[in-house]
Amino acid sequence: MSKAEPVRARHVAIIMDGNGRWAKKRLMPRALGHQRGVEAVRKVVRGAREMGLEALTLYAFSTENWRRPEEEVSDLMSLMKRFILSDLDEFAEAGVRLKIIGDYKAFKPDVVELVEKAIARTAGNSGTTLAVALNYGSQDEIARAATRAAAKGPITPETIAAELDTADLPPLDLLIRTSGEVRLSNFLLWQAAYAEMMFTDVLWPDFTAEHLRDALEAFTTRERRYGGR
Ligand code: IPE
Ligand code: IPE
Ligand code: MG
């Protein structure tokens, strides 16, 4: 009898953490850590696309990140804008579909406009979906979803799931967090119910497509039981 094919991950999410510590180790400003973090995003998205991943969800800005100094928040916003301006052409032409999870409309109008143009530009693409979590908090997402579900009828796990920001994505297979922290920080709490988790000490700016490839490889050896046996 032939051996069953290992099950490949369809949807991977990453908590991109450690930009600040990466910079601190080098006595550099935090902003530079974030800048290097963007370079890691570029490489990892290229890798995900080449590896044929259906969906990659990246935690870029949490509902709690507003607690950071104004200057850092504004650095992150301008990096986001610059990333869209510099990389959208490449990703759009490569078939990537951009999606945002989270309440991104709370951002400044120029960011919202740029993001919406990028979403519209890639809406017809059928390659990898890049879901970027902006002003995202899982508790906020679940509260919004539950409100919509309640307006339509009875609340059940299914009716809530259908209203989550991730409703159109494949089920979450693998959640990765960089930088050695072992917590979810309000990311995909619902979706992670049966996701596999991997925590690495690598700081986000040092994370490469090769690390993603290794994680996908390791995923194929995980035995998922979903409570059964
Ligand atoms: C992750 O890096 C980037 C964002 C949260 C936007 P951090 O800025 O959290 O880096 P550390 O955790 O301070 O090292
Ligand atoms: C999680 O990282 C949020 C993002 C990666 C965008 P944080 O650095 O904000 O998380 P905590 O504060 O260490 O839990
Ligand atoms: Mg952090």
Side-chain angles (χ1 to χ4, degrees), residues 63-81:
T63 46
E64 287 74 33
N65 286 147
W66 296 108
R67 294 178 188 154
R68 296 190 179 201
E70 216 174 287
E71 190 191 344
E72 184 171 356
V73 171
S74 121
D75 282 344
L76 287 166
M77 296 297 148
S78 41
L79 272 173
M80 247 178 275
K81 285 198 285 183

Side-chain angles (χ1 to χ4, degrees), residues 29-228:
R30 285 184 76 84
L32 208 79
H34 292 314
Q35 203 176 305
R36 293 302 179 88
V38 172
E39 289 169 24
V41 169
R42 179 176 295 129
K43 290 179 189 153
V44 167
V45 174
R46 277 186 195 145
R49 187 172 63 63
E50 285 163 11
M51 292 169 224
L53 207 63
E54 274 179 62
L56 176 69
T57 299
L58 298 178
Y59 204 6
F61 195 90
S62 75
T63 46
E64 287 74 33
N65 286 147
W66 296 108
R67 294 178 188 154
R68 296 190 179 201
E70 216 174 287
E71 190 191 344
E72 184 171 356
V73 171
S74 121
D75 282 344
L76 287 166
M77 296 297 148
S78 41
L79 272 173
M80 247 178 275
K81 285 198 285 183
R82 275 199 303 199
F83 177 67
I84 294 179
L85 291 169
S86 60
D87 286 60
L88 180 63
D89 279 347
E90 175 188 330
F91 293 135
E93 278 154 34
V96 172
R97 179 177 77 102
L98 177 70
K99 173 186 167 71
I100 304 296
I101 63 170
D103 184 14
Y104 71 95
K105 289 188 179 153
F107 285 164
K108 292 218 170 91
D110 56 335
V111 180
V112 174
E113 193 188 322
L114 205 56
V115 164
E116 288 182 342
K117 275 192 179 154
I119 295 171
R121 162 118 188 252
T122 62
N125 282 351
S126 56
T128 302
T129 295
L130 171 63
V132 183
L134 294 182
N135 191 25
Y136 175 89
S138 199
Q139 293 175 343
D140 172 66
E141 177 196 31
I142 294 167
R144 286 187 283 106
T147 305
R148 286 195 295 263
K152 292 182 184 173
I155 293 194
T156 67
E158 291 73 25
T159 63
I160 290 180
E163 299 294 338
L164 293 173
D165 295 350
T166 54
D168 61 337
L169 297 178
L172 182 63
D173 291 313
L174 174 62
L175 179 66
I176 301 171
R177 183 170 188 148
T178 61
S179 89
E181 308 294 354
V182 185
R183 56 175 170 261
L184 293 179
S185 302
N186 203 9
F187 190 48
L188 302 180
L189 304 180
W190 181 289
Q191 296 85 342
Y194 272 102
E196 295 295 317
M197 312 234 178
M198 289 185 197
F199 298 93
T200 170
D201 288 338
V202 174
L203 300 173
W204 176 251
D206 292 327
F207 196 88
T208 64
E210 216 39 56
H211 289 111
L212 176 64
R213 191 183 297 280
D214 291 347
L216 289 174
E217 181 70 32
F219 173 84
T220 63
T221 67
R222 297 272 180 109
E223 191 194 337
R224 303 177 83 187
R225 287 192 287 274
Y226 299 98

